[in-house]
Amino acid sequence: MNRGVAITGMGIISALGNGVEANFNALIASQDGITFPEILKTKYTHFPVGEVKTSNLDLETELQLSDEHSCTRAALLGIIAAKEAIKSSGVTAKELLTTGFISGSSVGGIDATEKYYLEYDKSTAHHQFIPAQHPGFTTNKIAEHLNIKGFTTTISTACSSGANAIMLGARLIKAGELDRVIVGGTDCLTKFTLNGFNSLKILSEEKCKAFDDSRNGLNLGEGAAYLVLEAEHLAKNKQILGRVLGYGNANDAYHQTASSETGVGAYKAMRDALEIAGIAAEKINYINAHGTATRNNDLSESNALKQIFSSEVPDFSSTKAYTGHSLAAAGALEAVFSILSLQNNLIFPNLNFSKPMQESGLLPITELKNKSVNYVLSNSFGFGGNCTSLIFSKNE
Amino acid sequence: MSRTIYITGIGAISAQTEESVFSEKSVVYTSNIFQAISPNFKEYIPAMALRRMSKAIKMGLTAVKMALQDANVELPDAIITGTGEGCKQDTEKFLGSMLSQEEDLLTPTSFIQSTHNTVGGQIALNLGCSGYNVTYSQERASLESALIDSVLLLNEKPSLNSVLVGGVDEVSNKITSFGYLNGFLKQEEIENLSLFSHKSEGTITSEGAFFFNLTTENKKDSYAQLKAVSSFNAESPIEVSEKITEFLSRNSLRPKDLDIVFLGKNGDLDQDKVYDELQYTIFPKTCQLAYKHLSGEFNTVTGFAIWLSCLIFRRQQIPDILKLNAVPSSNPKNILLYNLASNTSHSVILLQKP
Amino acid sequence: MSDLRTELKQSIIVQLNLEELTIEDIDNNDSLFGDGLGLDSIDALELIVLLEKDYGIKLTDPNQGKEIFISINKMAEYIESHRTK
C-alpha cells in the first residue's frame, strides 16, 4: 500500500515570522502578518501586504554574506528557510553533496532588476545582478550557499510552483532517482508583482477575506519554505514529521489568468491527488484551500470543492489572510501549515470571514479548531491555468 | 525498470532551417544577437490570439503544433516546458513602463504574459489540454529538467500516448543586450560561422523553440529513442569525464561505443576549455560535432542539437558544417549530447537510432 | 463628434494590437466584445487604462466597463459626458 514519501524536516520564513515555531504561534493565536509595505519601496503604500519585516541588509548580516554576494531577497529568504529545514532533519554537510534541490520561484530576483535596470548600462556597480531575474539564478544561489550538490532544478508555474516542487521531489524519491531532496519555494514582494496584480485590479485595499461574499481581492505576501523528503531507508531512523501521500497536477485550459467557473483544473488536480494517495475523498479531514480572496478564484475553487466532495465539504480554510499570497512560495508555506495541522490536530482559521458566498454557501473554519487530523489536502492554483493539489498524511 | 521512449514528432524554430544546415547553406549572421527565422505564424495561430503574443509564445505554440502534426497526435496528455529566461519581451515592456511611468497607468497584458509559465499555459489553453503541465526554469538546464520530468512521467504512466516536451527562449531588446555588459556576449561583433576561431571571452546568442512528442509506443517512423537524460554537478574536467563515463555505463555503453558526440561549445574561451579537454581525453576517436555557431547560445538550445541528431538518424547524413574532427561516422546509432550549464553544472542526453 | 469615434478606433487598434483591422473595418455600432470585434476580459482592462490615460476618466469598479465598452458609439457617449481632459 502507498505509504507516501517521508518528510523529515521543514523550515519557513513568512510574514508570520522566522521559523516553524514563530509561524505556528501566530497561526494558533489568529494573529495575521498583514501590514502596509515598509521594506518594499512603492508608491502603493495603501495596499496591505504580508511582508517579512527584516531588511535585506539584516538578512545578509544574519547569513554572514560577503560584500560581493549576488543574493537577492528571494534567495536570502530561501536560504533561511532551507537552513532550518536541513537542521530540523539533521542532514549533514556531507549528505548535502548528494541531496537534490527543487525550488519554485515565479519572479526570482526581479527585485534587483527593477532597482538597477536603468543603471546597468551606465555603471558596472551591480552587474552581478544582471541574470538575477531568471528563477534558476535564485535556486542556484541558495544551493551554492548551502553547498547542496545533487540534482538541482527550478519550477516556475506561477502560484503553484512551490507545490509542484514538492510533487516532483516526491515522485523522484518514489522512482528511486533520488534518496533525499529539499523541496519548496521562495518569492519576495516586488514592485513588479504589486503593480502587475494592481493592473489586473485584483488587489484588495483591505485585509483579504477568502471565501467571503464581499471578498474583493488578494493581499500579496512574501516568504519561503522548504521540506526535506527522504527515501524509507534514510528516513527510518529519523523523526518523520508527516508524509506526502498524494499529488495531482492539471491545467484549467480556460483563460490566461482567470480560473474557469466550474474549476475544471482544480477538480482534476484534487481527483488525481486522491487517486495517487489511494484514499476516498471523505477521508480528508482538512483542506488548506488556495483561497486567494479574488472574486474569481474563490468561486472556482468552491465549485470544484463541491464537485469533488459531493456529500459534504470537509473542514477548510485559506491561510492567505495570515501570510498574504506569496506566489511561488505559497504552496510550500501551506505545506508547512498542513504538516503543523497534522502534528497538532488543529485546523487554522480562515480570518476575516463573515458571510458565505451566495453562490456556494460554503462555510470555512473561522476559529481555531481541535480535532483529529489524519489527512490534509492543500491546493495551489496559478496563472496559466496551472493547478496542483497535494495530500499530506501522518506518519502511520 | 526504465521504459523505452521514442521521439515521434518534432517542431523546431531557430536561426537555421533543416535546408540551411543539411544543404550546407547555413544562414550567416553578423551581429552577436540574432533572431530565429519565423515561420508564417498565422498558419498555426488564429489572428485574434496572435495579436498579443511575444515571439516566445508564437514560436513555442507553433513548434508544438508542428510536433503534434508530425506525430499525428491531436491532443497530448501532458505538456512540459523548459525556458531559461521566459517571456523577456513582455517582462521588459512591463518593467519599462513601470519605471518610466512611475508605477502609474499600467496595463495588464504584458504583466500577464511575463510569467515563465506563459508559453506552457498558452499551449494548454490553445490545445484545450487539461493534462499535466509544468514549466522548468533552471537557466541552461531548463530543457533538460523538462526532459527528466517527461522520462519520469512516461515511466510512471506508460499508457500515456503523448507527452509534449520542449524548450523555448526569446531575444529581447534590452535584457538580451545586457549580455554585452556582463561578459556573456563577445565584445567584438563576429560572424556566427567563425565562432570557434575567435579566442575571446563571451559568445553569441539567438532564440528558438523546440518541441518533441514522446511516447513509449514504438512507432515505425519514430526519429530516435530518448535513452537517458541527466544533469549533474562536477568541479573539474576529470570529474566531468568520470560522470559521463558513469552515465554511459548505466546505459550499458562505453565512450568508444558512441558514434557521435554533440558538444555544446560556444566560443567562450573559458567554458570551451572543458569541451577541449573532453575532445582529447574521452572522445578522441569519436565523431565530434558542434552546433552553437549555427544556432547561437541560449538556455534551451540543446533542443537544436536534439533536432539535428534526429535528422542525422533519419537522413543518414552529417553536414560538414557541424564537424569538429575528421572521424567519420557512416551509420550513427548512439549520439551523446553534452552541454555545460554553468561552471559546475553539466547535462547529458543520450539518443539512439530506433 | 465623429473625430472622437475615429480617434477611439485608432487607439483601440493600436492598444489592443488589432493589426489586421483598419478604422473602416469597425462600425460605430459593432459590439466590441463577443461576436463583434471579439475582445476579451484582458482587453477590457486595457480599455479602462485607455479611458484614464487619454480622457482622465477613472473607473473604480472594473465591472463598470461592461456598460461602457459596448460599442464605439456607447464609449464615445460616455467619454463625452465624463471626460476631464
Side-chain angles (χ1 to χ4, degrees), chain A residues 41-44 102 105-107 110 113-118 120-122 124 127 130-131 133-140 148-160 164 167-168 171-172 175 177 191-201 247 249-257 264-265 268 272 276 382-386, chain B residues 52 57 80 83-86 88 90-96 98-118 120-122 124-139 141-142 144-146 148-150 152-154 156-157 174-175 178-179 181-182 231-233 235 299 342 344:
Chain A
K41 298 297 169 218
T42 168
K43 71 181 237 186
Y44 294 108
I102 304 167
S105 187
S106 69
V107 290
I110 210 162
T113 314
E114 66 194 24
K115 218 181 279 169
Y116 306 126
Y117 190 69
L118 301 173
Y120 285 145
D121 44 16
K122 299 188 187 96
T124 58
H127 281 185
I130 285 178
Q133 75 183 77
H134 310 302
F137 184 88
T138 298
T139 306
N140 290 342
I148 303 170
K149 295 281 171 88
F151 171 69
T152 301
T153 195
T154 308
I155 292 180
S156 199
T157 48
C159 315
S160 63
N164 277 324
M167 169 167 177
L168 179 68
R171 290 168 59 216
L172 286 167
E177 297 287 331
K191 262 184 0 186
F192 189 88
T193 39
L194 190 77
N195 277 280
F197 281 90
N198 186 35
S199 75
L200 282 164
K201 312 274 180 223
Y247 36 75
N249 168 309
N251 195 290
D252 207 32
Y254 170 75
H255 187 272
Q256 274 185 276
T257 55
V264 186
K268 282 189 77 171
D272 291 357
I276 294 277
F383 272 18
N386 283 117
Chain B
R52 284 201 279 250
I57 309 174
I80 308 178
T83 178
E85 305 196 343
K88 294 199 292 286
D90 280 304
T91 304
E92 199 167 300
K93 217 189 233 171
F94 192 75
L95 195 62
M98 181 179 89
L99 296 173
S100 66
Q101 293 161 213
E102 294 174 336
E103 303 185 66
D104 212 8
L105 293 172
L106 296 170
T107 58
T109 305
S110 53
F111 173 69
I112 293 168
Q113 302 198 146
S114 72
T115 58
H116 283 70
N117 62 333
T118 300
Q122 284 275 1
L125 186 59
N126 194 281
L127 301 177
C129 175
S130 63
Y132 183 83
N133 188 307
V134 172
T135 298
Y136 291 90
S137 185
Q138 179 59 19
E139 300 188 326
S142 302
E144 286 77 358
S145 295
I148 288 170
D149 188 2
S150 47
L152 181 64
L153 190 66
L154 280 163
E156 290 167 340
K157 296 180 185 168
K174 203 162 159 124
I175 299 173
F178 286 156
L181 303 174
N182 71 345
S231 118
F232 58 88
N233 265 283
E235 311 283 332
N299 283 308
S342 72
T344 57

Side-chain angles (χ1 to χ4, degrees), chain B residues 42 47-48 51-52 93 101 104-110 112, chain C residues 15-18 20 37-38 40 42-43 45-46 49 52-53:
Chain B
K42 284 181 197 158
M48 273 310 266
R51 70 195 163 105
R52 284 201 279 250
K93 217 189 233 171
Q101 293 161 213
D104 212 8
L105 293 172
L106 296 170
T107 58
T109 305
S110 53
I112 293 168
Chain C
Q15 188 66 33
L16 307 182
N17 299 312
L18 299 165
E20 310 270 293
L37 280 193
D40 61 19
I42 297 171
D43 295 311
L45 291 169
E46 294 279 338
V49 178
E52 186 172 354
K53 209 187 247 173

